[in-house]
Amino acid sequence: MTTTGTGDSVLRLHFTNDDLLRTTVAAGPDPLWETVLSSHVLLTAQGKAVFDQWRSHARDRLRQLPREHGRLLRTLAPPRGSFPDFLNPPEAADGLAPGIDAVLSTPRERLHEEIRALQGVPSWLRPLADGEPEALRTLGRALEQYFQAALAPYWAAVRAQAEADRAVRARALLTGGCEALLSTLGPSMRWRRPVLEVDYPYDRDVRLAGRGLRLVPSVFCWRVPITLCDPALPPVLVYPVTRSLLWWAPQAEQPEQRALGNLIGRGRAAALRAAEGGCTTSELARRMGVTLATASEHARTLRESGLVVSRRERNTVLHVLTPLGTGLLAANAARPQHV
């Protein structure tokens, strides 16, 4: 059972040298973790300035879904307390469909154990706890339809935020190794070798014992990181990213239609190529051979066009290509003379 709540206590993740070597950052957001955590955001008032615009849009779309699907997800994954670990299998790292397939393949004994551990389990959940095929199919449809309604229109924006965070972690790793990476995860996490201390709903110790740790950046994780309850499962820590202004705006709603005209020309195209892989404003200026002010202007236009996302890290700003920016580069890779 996975537990949510305030971070009044501490989770202590104990690392060995092998764990440091096997710690990784997920390649992108996890669709099932974002499904569960965004459903919590919908049911609470947390992060009003961050989430209210998304809430309004998502609720309008979710009203079109069967009411029993919403009831099922709210009951299985309440915003306070524990919810089943089986809702977040590692297979979801490969996409929504593999993740849902893994959820529906959960052994009957585990379904029964984790659902029975919920507080106040209603009788209508018994068919799912017993692993009845129709109940499992209903859960699969509920997860799929929720994602399509509440997250799919915003998934490019969610990916952009996660990729910007991943770029920050990658730079720390290249500069100082895994311990430097772990030191960048604050403010709710503190690296005190050999322990990563994490604000958590209750005091808990987890010994990684050579298995390493998978770090998963999340837009919908609010303030306090979250992990699986069963210590026998592969260790994972989902943590909140720093979100940019209007992070939730779908690509279709961003101002690229207006601003892309500014990108026609060699200067903007060169800036887009220079930002591939992530760079600071100073690095962008050096790569392009332009002044800092010119590089800053290029970065601003790329950001307003929805082609990069900018993330402040201490006293520098890191610019990372969004999926739209990556796609534009890929589409024009064979025709550089046309930019």
Side-chain angles (χ1 to χ4, degrees), residues 265-275 284 288 339:
R266 295 182 181 276
R268 298 290 192 253
L272 188 64
R273 291 194 194 97
L284 182 64
M288 296 182 66
V339 296

Side-chain angles (χ1 to χ4, degrees), residues 141-154:
R141 288 192 294 270
L143 291 169
E144 165 72 21
Q145 292 179 11
Y146 176 93
F147 181 90
Q148 295 303 329
L151 294 178
Y154 315 95

